[in-house]
C-alpha cells in the first residue's frame, strides 16, 4: 500500500517530516517498508538557475540567432548562443548550466554554434517541463535573483510516498484518513502539536426529479446501503490535482467519475461503485443474493457463474455487479454517460470474502470490505462523492439520497479496569494517559470512575470487542518500546525427549546440506488438479480448504514430491539445469470414505524429500557425473547407515508407477510402515511441470525414520588391530538373480569374517549367453582376533563360491 505524504497533510496538520511519519507509523503498528521521494518535475531541474541577460547581439552568421552574455550568479559572465526571438538584454531568465539534464533526458553540453562557443542554454517553458509554450524563452520578473536554483524559485514540490503494510485486522488503516487518525492520536499523546481535519461536506438536500429507487432484499449481506442519482453530468478527464493525487500512489487516472470513486477509496477507505443510471434496466436497483448458477460478465470480460451465497447489485433483468467485489461489464460508466447512480454501502465481510476467494478476484474494494469497513462511513463518503462529482463533472442531484440501514451496527460497549490494563501492559501507566490515548482514538466515555471506565469503541475498530483489545490499542499509541524489560523473567522448563525429534531432524538436514543439497521450503497448500490423474495420491484423499485463497491453493499437499517438481521446473526455467534439493515438511491425507467431520479420519506426518536432476557444472579435472538413481540411492544409504539401518534388511516392493517410471519402495522389516520411496520420476509426470530432463527423487517417511533412530543402540569398540583382506569374484548368473540375494547369502555363510560386500561391475553383451549377466563382486574380510593367512582367505572364498554355485547356479568367470 502507498501513502502520499502531501495528501496525508490535507487531513493531518503537523510538522512531522516524511521520515518521522514513517517511524511513527511503524511504532503504532503500521509497518513501513520504505519512503520514496519523487520530484514534481523529474530531476528537480537540478543545474537550472535564474540568470540575467547582460548583452544581446545578432549572430553575424545567422539571421535568427543571438549571441548573449549571461550572469548566472557564479561571477564570470558566460557566452550563450540563443535562438529565441524574444531574448533581450536586461531580462531575467532560467538558464541551464553545462551538465544539466533536462526533462526528456536532454543533456546540456558545451558546443559551437555557427563558430561561436555556447556555455549553456536559456530555456523555454516546454524545455523545462513546466508548460507547453515554445514561442520563446521564459522571461521572469525583475525581482528574480541570479543564481537562485529553479527548483527554489518555481517552488517545485518534492513528493514523498510511504509504502506500508497492514495486518488483516487493520482495514481502518487502509486509507489516508485512517493513517492520519492514528498518527493524530500518537501526536496528541507525545505532545506534538497536530490538527485533524476531515473535509467539510454539505448535507444532500432533496431535489426535484426521480431518483433511482433501491430495494434491499437481503439486509444480512448488505446491512447498510446508500445511494444517490445525479443527472446531466459530463464524463471527461479529471482535473490535474485529482490526477496527480492518484498518480502519486500508483493509480492510473481513467476519467473524472471513476477517478472520484478511486480517490475516495484511498482517501477514506470506503469503496464506492458508480453505475450508468441509463443502463439500469427497469429503472430500479435490487440488492439481493444471486440465483444458483446465475451468469454475469465482469469488467475483465470473463463470464462467471454465481453461487446462491453471492451478493449482487441487480436490476430487473439480472446482476449488474458482484457486491463489494467487482463491477459488471454492461453497467459501468463510459464516455457517453450523462446520468449516474452512486453506491456507498457496508457489505457483510464474510460474504465478500467467500465470493472473492472462490472467484479469485482480489480488488481494492474486496480487500477492504472483507476485512471490515466502517459502517458509519457510507453516508459521509456519498456526500463527499456528490461534492466532487458536481465540482468536476457538473450535473444535478435528482430525488432524495437513499440510506437503507434497518438494523444499525452497534458499537461495542466495553468495561475497563485500569489496574487490569496495567497488569496486561506490565507498566504503571497513569489513568490520565490511558484516557488521553482513548480520547484521541475517538473512544466515547459512557462512565468514568475511580480506576475504571465504560467506553464505546469507535465504529471503525471492527476488531475491538474486549478489554484486552483496548489494551492493544493503548499499547500501540503508548509505544511498545516504552515498556521496559523486567529485571526477572519467569519461565517453565519442559523435559527434552530422548531421542529429541527436533535434534534428529536438524542432524538429517545438516547431513544433506553437507553433501551438497540445498534446502527448500514450499507452501503446504497446493492445487487439487495435481492429484486428479494420480492413483497413489488420489484427489478424493485431499484435505480441502473451505475458503481457499485461490484455486491454485485449494487443498493440503499429500506428498512433497509435487512441490519438489515445481522447484525443479522453476530453476530450469531460469537456466539452472543442475538441481539438488531437499525439503522437510508435513503432508496431509483424508481417509477414503471416512466421515470428514471427524478429526481421527485425517492423517498428518512429516517427510523428507530429496530431488536430483541435471548435470553439475563442467570441470577441467573430470567429466561431471549425470544425476541418476544410484547416486540418490547412495545418499539414502549413507543417511540410514548413520542410524544403524541397512536398506538390504528392509522389505522392498515396486514404487508407484504413476509417480516413478522405475523405483523401489522400502518398508521397515516385518512389512512395517513405508520408510522410503525412491526412483526415476515418470516422464509423463515431469511433462506436466514442463520438465524435459530426467529427475530422480526420494521421499522419506519421518515417523518410520524416527522409529529406526529409537531402535538404534550406539556401541563403541576399539579400532581393528588386524588388517583386512580384499578379494574379488566374477560370476556368470541368471538375469533373475539379484545383488541383494547374493549379498544376503554371503553374509549368512561368512558372518564372522565377512565385513563388506560390493558390486563394482555388471556386464551383458559379447560372449555372455542370452538370459545371463556377469556380476563382479568385491569382498572385504577381516578376523578380529588374528591376521588372516592366505589359506584362511582361500578357504573362505571357496566356501562363498560354492554357496553361489549351489544357491544360484553361478559360474566362475
Amino acid at each position: 500500500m502507498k501513502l502520499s505524504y502531501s495528501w496525508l497533510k490535507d487531513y493531518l496538520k503537523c510538522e512531522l517530516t516524511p521520515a518521522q511519519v514513517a517511524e511513527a507509523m511503524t511504532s503504532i503498528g503500521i509497518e513501513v517498508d520504505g519512503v520514496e521521494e519523487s520530484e514534481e518535475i523529474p530531476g528537480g531541474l537540478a543545474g537550472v538557475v535564474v540568470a540575467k541577460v547582460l548583452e544581446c547581439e545578432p549572430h553575424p552568421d545567422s539571421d535568427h540567432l543571438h549571441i548573449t552574455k549571461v550572469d548566472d550568479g557564479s561571477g564570470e559572465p558566460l557566452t550563450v548562443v540563443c535562438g529565441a526571438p524574444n531574448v533581450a538584454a536586461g531580462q531575467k531568465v532560467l538558464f541551464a548550466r553545462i551538465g544539466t539534464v533536462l526533462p526528456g533526458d536532454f543533456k546540456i553540453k558545451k558546443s559551437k554554434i555557427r563558430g561561436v562557443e555556447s556555455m549553456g542554454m536559456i530555456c523555454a517553458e516546454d524545455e523545462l517541463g513546466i508548460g507547453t509554450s515554445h514561442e520563446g524563452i521564459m522571461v521572469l520578473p525583475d525581482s528574480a535573483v541570479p543564481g537562485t536554483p529553479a527548483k527554489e524559485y518555481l517552488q517545485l514540490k518534492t513528493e514523498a510516498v510511504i509504502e506500508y503494510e497492514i495486518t488483516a485486522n487493520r482495514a481502518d488503516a487502509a486509507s489516508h484518513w485512517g493513517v492520519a487518525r492514528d498518527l493524530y492520536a500518537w501526536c496528541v499523546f507525545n505532545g506534538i502539536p497536530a490538527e485533524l481535519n476531515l473535509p467539510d461536506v454539505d448535507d444532500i438536500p432533496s431535489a426535484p426529479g426521480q431518483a433511482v429507487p433501491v430495494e434491499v432484499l437481503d439486509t444480512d449481506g448488505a446491512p447498510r446501503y446508500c445511494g444517490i442519482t445525479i443527472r446531466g453530468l459530463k464524463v471527461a478527464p479529471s482535473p490535474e490535482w485529482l490526477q496527480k493525487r492518484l498518480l502519486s500512489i500508483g493509480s492510473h487516472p481513467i476519467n473524472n467519475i471513476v477517478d472520484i470513486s478511486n480517490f475516495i477509496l484511498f482517501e477514506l477507505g470506503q469503496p464506492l461503485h458508480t453505475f450508468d443510471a441509463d443502463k439500469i434496466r427497469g429503472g430500479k436497483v435490487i440488492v439481493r443474493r444471486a440465483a444458483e448458477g446465475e451468469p454475469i460478465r465482469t469488467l475483465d470480460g470473463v463470464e462467471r457463474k454465481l453461487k446462491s451465497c453471492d451478493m449482487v447489485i441487480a436490476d430487473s433483468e439480472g446482476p449488474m455487479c458482484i457486491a463489494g467485489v467487482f463491477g459488471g461489464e454492461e453497467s459501468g460508466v463510459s464516455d457517453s454517460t450523462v446520468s449516474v447512480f452512486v453506491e456507498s454501502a457496508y457489505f457483510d465481510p464474510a460474504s465478500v470474502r467467500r465470493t472473492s476467494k472462490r472467484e479469485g478476484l482480489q480488488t481494492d474494494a474486496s480487500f477492504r470490505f472483507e476485512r471490515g469497513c466502517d459502517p458509519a462511513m457510507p453516508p459521509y463518503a456519498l456526500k463527499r462523492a456528490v461534492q466532487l462529482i458536481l465540482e468536476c463533472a457538473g450535473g444535478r442531484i435528482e430525488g432524495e439520497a437513499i440510506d437503507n440501514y434497518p438494523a444499525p451496527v452497534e458499537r461495542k460497549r466495553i468495561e475497563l479496569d485500569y489496574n487490569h490494563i496495567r497488569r496486561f501492559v506490565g507498566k504503571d501507566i497513569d489513568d490520565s494517559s490511558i484516557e488521553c490515548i482513548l480520547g484521541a482514538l475517538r473512544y466515547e466515555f459512557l462512565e468514568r470512575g475511580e480506576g475504571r471506565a465504560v467506553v464505546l469503541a469507535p465504529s471503525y475498530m471492527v476488531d475491538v470487542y474486549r478489554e484486552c483489545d483496548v489494551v492493544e490499542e493503548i499499547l500501540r499509541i503508548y509505544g511498545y518500546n516504552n515498556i521496559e524489560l523486567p529485571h526477572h523473567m519467569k519461565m517453565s522448563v519442559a523435559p527434552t525427549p530422548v531421542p529429541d525429534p527436533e535434534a534428529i531432524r536438524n542432524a538429517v538436514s545438516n547431513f544433506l546440506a553437507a553433501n551438497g543439497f540445498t534446502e527448500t521450503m514450499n507452501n503446504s497448500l497446493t492445487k487439487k488438479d495435481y492429484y486428479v490423474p494420480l492413483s497413489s495420491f488420489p484427489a478424493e484423499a485431499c484435505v480441502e480448504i473451505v475458503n481457499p485463497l485461490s484455486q491454485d491453493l485449494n487443498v493440503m499437499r499429500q506428498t512433497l514430491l509435487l512441490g519438489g517438481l515445481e522447484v525443479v521446473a522453476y530453476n530450469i526455467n531460469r537456466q539452472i539445469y543442475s538441481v539438488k534439493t531437499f525439503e522437510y515438511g508435513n503432508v496431509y491425507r483424508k481417509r477414503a470414505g471416512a466421515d470428514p467431520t471427524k478429526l481421527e479420519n485425517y492423517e498428518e506426518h512429516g517427510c523428507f524429500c530429496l530431488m536430483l536432476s541435471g548435470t553439475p557444472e563442467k570441470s577441467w579435472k573430470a567429466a561431471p557425473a549425470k544425476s541418476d538413481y544410484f547416486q540418490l540411492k547412495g545418499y539414502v544409504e549413507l543417511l540410514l547407515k548413520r542410524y544403524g539401518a541397512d536398506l538390504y534388511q528392509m522389505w522392498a516392493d515396486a514404487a508407484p508407477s504413476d509417480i516413478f517410471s522405475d523405483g523401489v519402495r522400502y518398508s521397515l522389516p516385518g512389512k512395517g510402515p513405508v520408510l522410503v520411496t525412491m526412483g526415476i520420476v515418470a516422464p509423463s509426470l515431469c511433462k506436466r511441470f514442463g520438465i524435459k530432463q530426467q529427475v530422480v527423487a526420494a521421499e522419506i517417511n519421518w515417523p518410520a525414520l524416527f522409529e529406526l533412530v529409537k531402535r538404534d543402540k550406539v556401541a563403541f569398540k576399539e579400532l581393528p588391530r588386524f588388517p583386512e583382506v580384499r578379494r574379488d569374484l566374477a560370476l556368470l548368473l541368471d538375469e533373475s538373480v539379484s545383488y541383494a540375494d547374493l549379498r544376503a547369502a554371503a553374509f549368512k555363510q561368512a558372518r564372522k569374517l565377512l565385513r563388506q560386500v560390493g558390486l563394482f561391475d555388471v556386464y551383458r553383451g559379447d560372449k555372455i549367453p542370452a538370459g545371463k549377466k556377469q556380476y563382479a563382486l568385491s569382498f572385504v574380510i577381516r578376523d578380529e582376533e588374528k591376521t588372516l593367512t592366505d589359506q584362511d582367505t582361500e578357504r573362505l572364498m571357496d566356501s562363498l563360491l560354492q554357496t553361489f554355485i549351489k544357491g544360484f547356479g553361478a559360474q566362475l568367470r
Side-chain angles (χ1 to χ4, degrees), residues 526-565:
T526 185
K527 62 170 70 175
K528 189 174 183 179
D529 291 347
Y530 281 162
Y531 297 92
V532 171
L534 302 180
S535 58
S536 53
F537 299 105
E540 297 75 23
C542 288
V543 179
E544 298 192 29
I545 306 301
V546 177
N547 290 314
L549 294 172
S550 73
Q551 293 307 304
D552 289 341
L553 301 170
N554 56 359
V555 297
M556 307 289 281
R557 62 188 176 192
Q558 293 190 56
T559 174
L560 301 183
L561 291 170
L562 302 182
L565 290 174

Side-chain angles (χ1 to χ4, degrees), residues 313-330:
I313 311 301
D315 57 18
S316 60
E317 296 185 22
M320 296 189 292
C321 79
I322 305 174
V325 180
F326 211 33
E329 190 176 59
E330 299 176 359

